Amino acid sequence: MDFAALLDRIADDVAPEIGRGAVADYIPALARVEPRRFGMAVAEVDGGVHGVGDWEVPFSIQSMSKVFTLALALSHGDGLWARVGREPSGNPFNSLVQLENEDGIPRNPFINAGALVVTDELAHHGDAAEKLLRFFQEESGRAGIGIDAEVAASEAENADRNRALAYFMASYRNMLHPVPAVLDQYVRQCSIAMTCADVARSAVFLARHGVRNDGTRLLGLSAAKRINAVMLTCGTYDAAGEFAYRVGLPGKSGVGGGIVAIVPGRCAVCVWSPCLDARGNSVAGVAALDRFTTLTGWSIF
């Protein structure tokens, strides 16, 4: 595969989509991001990495972090699934409605309530954000990856809905650590700044069925398969069906404009373009992944 030519073609094809939509404005620090950025990187299972555009410009990973905290939590066992479901929500990612109807058990680990439970579970093994940061530094090979302090402060100042979700779950005894501590770790994990190359390198363990870049195994085959399955059904908020239809890969988006997708046995792909559609997914990012699977013929279907 000539990835340089492929990625150049994709960048040309999706150029009309770049800047369509709107940057996330409910987090003030994200509202100031240059809207016409676009980057895309592919990390192959054999270690090769390829990119185009702004693929080496750091951005706020936001909800893409949820894939990795889920993997780290499951590396300690699957008891987490007693606390969070695996079904699509059909509601906004920060909705309180389902929690009351379902006795404080979040519908899946990628909506905010579910991700808070995952962070709470990972906190049994130390500070979840610091554990995630070390994982990214090791997998990407870039020790300079860190937390964007401005984004973290901005998120912390605008975290009332997440605070409400966490305390509501605590009332059902589905939060096992003090809520302020979990919220702090959750905000910091979402505020990590990475490049497309960093994210793709860090996610390729899912394309290798659980094996990390150093050859050690993070997850068993079944756990890696299940994370990919939940990414496919729940990874793009309430647009997962449309994403599966257009792209045909497990994926997880973030309101920073990033999307990470997995081609099992082949590669991990990360695309970044900050302008979002009404459901919180990058307009140009989805278009780029659509072109990627169309041009390569690589899909799980």
Side-chain angles (χ1 to χ4, degrees), residues 170-203:
S171 75
Y172 283 94
R173 292 177 169 73
N174 199 20
M175 294 293 284
L176 305 179
H177 295 88
V179 165
V182 175
L183 281 168
D184 173 68
Q185 293 174 49
Y186 176 75
V187 164
R188 286 187 286 117
Q189 83 179 40
C190 290
S191 302
I192 293 172
M194 298 171 68
T195 69
C196 291
D198 295 332
V199 175
R201 286 191 186 102
S202 298

Side-chain angles (χ1 to χ4, degrees), residues 94-125:
N94 59 357
S95 173
L96 281 154
V97 174
Q98 283 177 331
L99 278 177
E100 185 163 17
N101 292 333
E102 298 178 357
D103 299 327
I105 303 294
R107 185 64 70 92
N108 67 67
F110 295 150
I111 57 175
N112 286 16
L116 285 163
V117 169
V118 174
T119 299
D120 183 56
E121 184 76 13
L122 189 55
H124 286 309
H125 308 283

Side-chain angles (χ1 to χ4, degrees), residues 160-174:
D160 288 344
R161 180 63 68 95
N162 286 334
R163 193 171 291 112
L165 290 166
Y167 277 113
F168 192 82
M169 290 187 293
S171 75
Y172 283 94
R173 292 177 169 73
N174 199 20

